[in-house]
Amino acid sequence: MSEFLSRLRAIVETYLAHEAESDEWLPVLTWQIDQQHALDSRDTYPGHVTTSAILLSPDGTETLLIDHKTLKRWLQPGGHYEPAETFWLSARREAEEETGLSAPPLHPWHGKADRPFLIDSHAVPGKASRGERPHLHHDLQFLFVADPASPLVAQLEEVSAARWHGIAALEEVTPRGLKRLKRLGLVK
């Protein structure tokens, strides 16, 4: 098993044992790990790993979202996994690239561990211009803190805009994530 898959397996097993709710069992992701699929490649089907950043204001009242050009909706910054020492660093790199923020810190909830706040396997439509068919993104979501007064510069190749929204906007982006944030008292 590759080093990437070994790291991923450990993170998924820990997540399922300690963070996941009773209806989260991630069957396709765990099957793909068992089958030793190259989950770090966007060419792997039926799914592959992505990382994303749920960016929160220090007071937990706002979240920073990007307007995704392809999907035409507001989402948390993120994208296909790119090699990094930790999965959270891959998520932070996406946040930096798509918003222009500089090294937003990992939220204290993580305890400085490479511990996803949420793992969300979801269907994406694919993109015909890239030869992509519909598939799954196994998204490892991490929490970060950023100052809403920080200047934002959207990466215009993939993002139409980057903007702070009230925390309720996460209901349309990551409803399970918002529910968990509220349950843990991390947002207002």
Side-chain angles (χ1 to χ4, degrees):
M1 181 173 286
S2 72
E3 185 268 335
F4 170 84
L5 282 177
S6 294
R7 283 193 308 139
L8 181 62
R9 178 189 295 274
I11 282 174
V12 171
E13 287 175 352
T14 300
Y15 175 83
L16 290 171
H18 301 287
E19 308 302 336
E21 297 168 25
S22 61
D23 63 342
E24 287 181 89
W25 50 290
L26 305 172
V28 177
L29 175 57
T30 55
W31 172 78
Q32 285 192 268
I33 292 169
D34 290 343
Q35 296 299 307
Q36 298 188 35
H37 289 189
L39 290 166
D40 53 344
S41 169
R42 72 182 303 153
D43 297 325
T44 299
Y45 291 89
H48 42 263
V49 169
T50 58
T51 58
S52 66
I54 300 172
L55 290 146
L56 303 174
S57 61
D59 66 1
T61 62
E62 295 180 86
T63 187
L64 179 56
L65 302 176
I66 51 100
D67 187 8
H68 195 282
K69 279 188 173 181
T70 302
L71 297 175
K72 299 184 183 347
R73 43 181 301 231
W74 289 94
L75 298 171
Q76 74 270 29
H80 290 92
Y81 171 79
E82 293 181 35
E85 187 178 328
T86 61
F87 287 100
W88 73 264
L89 283 172
S90 176
R92 184 168 78 180
R93 179 175 32 228
E94 291 292 338
E96 291 171 334
E97 289 173 358
E98 293 181 350
T99 69
L101 289 175
S102 179
L106 194 61
H107 191 282
W109 177 88
H110 294 280
K112 299 184 182 178
D114 200 16
R115 167 186 172 206
F117 181 72
L118 181 66
I119 299 177
D120 179 27
S121 288
H122 56 272
V124 292
K127 190 172 183 182
S129 66
R130 287 188 184 150
E132 290 179 348
R133 59 184 189 263
H135 56 280
L136 295 173
H137 280 173
H138 305 298
D139 192 36
L140 299 135
Q141 299 179 7
F142 294 87
L143 303 176
F144 295 87
V145 181
D147 181 353
S150 298
L152 301 175
V153 180
Q155 177 193 46
L156 297 178
E157 298 83 43
E158 297 180 25
V159 173
S160 299
R163 191 175 82 216
W164 287 93
H165 297 256
I167 204 68
L170 287 176
E171 181 64 39
E172 297 297 317
V173 176
T174 177
R176 185 181 298 272
L178 179 59
K179 180 180 168 187
R180 187 169 291 164
L181 285 164
K182 286 181 176 180
R183 181 173 46 80
L184 296 172
L186 300 177
V187 298
K188 297 178 182 172

